[in-house]
Amino acid sequence: GPGPAPGQPARSAAVAAKSLAAAALIALLIAVLINLRDPPISAQARAMARFEPPAIASESNAYVALLGFSAPRRVDPLAEGKRLAAERDSTLSADPFDSHRVPHEARERDLDEEDRIAFAGDLDAGCDIFNEACLPFARARERAVRALVADNLLLIDRYEQAWRLPAFAAVAIADNRRADIERSNLGRVHTLLLTLAALDAQQGHATEACGFLQADGVFWRRVLAGTGALGDKLSAFRALSEDARLASEIIVSPAFDAAACATPFRVLLAPLTGEELSLADAFRMAFVPLLRMLASWPDPAGSFAPASWADRHRKDAPLYDLFFRPNASLARRAPPFPALAGHP
């Protein structure tokens, strides 16, 4: 039979290509039209949008001091914490549902903190008390422990400065990275001091060792009873568990000095109160940064490569702006938080 007319295959291919392009364009338009209608913000999300911690003077608030825990040597940690809180707080007066993206240049400056104090020395010289007994560990590494203490005297002094402040209430800040970093620094110093206490308890310094455990326990109970984020509560539970674990080791050791340790250990090992066990405020606080993250998406605040932030944002933002519905996302994520915050 006769073959296809000249040019027919080309015309068929063109028609097919146009049909596919039209179908893709129609699908895209439908998706865009659907996502243009973002439902109103739910009443539940609005009710959870703000959390006001108790009004506590910064000079009495251990949380503010911990924000500045690794501040440069020339800077008082409490002053640094107040500066960070004031700087971050300026972004919180606006509507929490508005998009707010910190310029990537500001992120780069924030991450470039070479003059901050870093924990110095061999981290392995501190005992991991949940994986091995701390008393023999400290005894076997006495020289390394003493050297680590000497290398970190300023951080130890700042840790004890936080002890002496009478209150703990997390300050509402827009960017929680600094608080996360300082919790990690605080944990390193706590591990070091715990190892030092294990060493002191075996070398005739039971009063110092047990006094540390009592004072440390009182501090972390203050954190639990205060208004803290989930990260603060978890840090406090872990630190108290480590302190109690070391106290148990000391009690069953030949070096136990009942006269020096009985009263401190009664304070340390007393059962936690309902106020100390409650996570209600922590869950209420947890919703606020989630809300701000969703309202400002895409916003890779946790980027470990800040130099690439601008390129990645320029590439991703148009697609998210077309398809991402922040109100709908908030409505889906809001319900668990009031339910969890309602439990004492």
Side-chain angles (χ1 to χ4, degrees), residues 62 98 108 126 193 311 323:
D98 283 346
E108 293 177 13
L193 291 176
D311 292 337
F323 296 108

Side-chain angles (χ1 to χ4, degrees), residues 284-326:
R284 290 190 62 202
M285 292 181 66
F287 182 67
V288 179
L290 173 66
L291 180 156
R292 292 182 177 277
M293 180 191 73
L294 291 173
S296 301
W297 194 269
D299 185 20
S303 172
F304 290 100
S308 65
W309 190 94
D311 292 337
R312 189 163 60 252
H313 179 266
R314 188 162 47 245
K315 178 179 66 176
D316 293 345
L319 291 175
Y320 279 106
D321 290 340
L322 280 176
F323 296 108
F324 181 62
R325 298 192 298 165

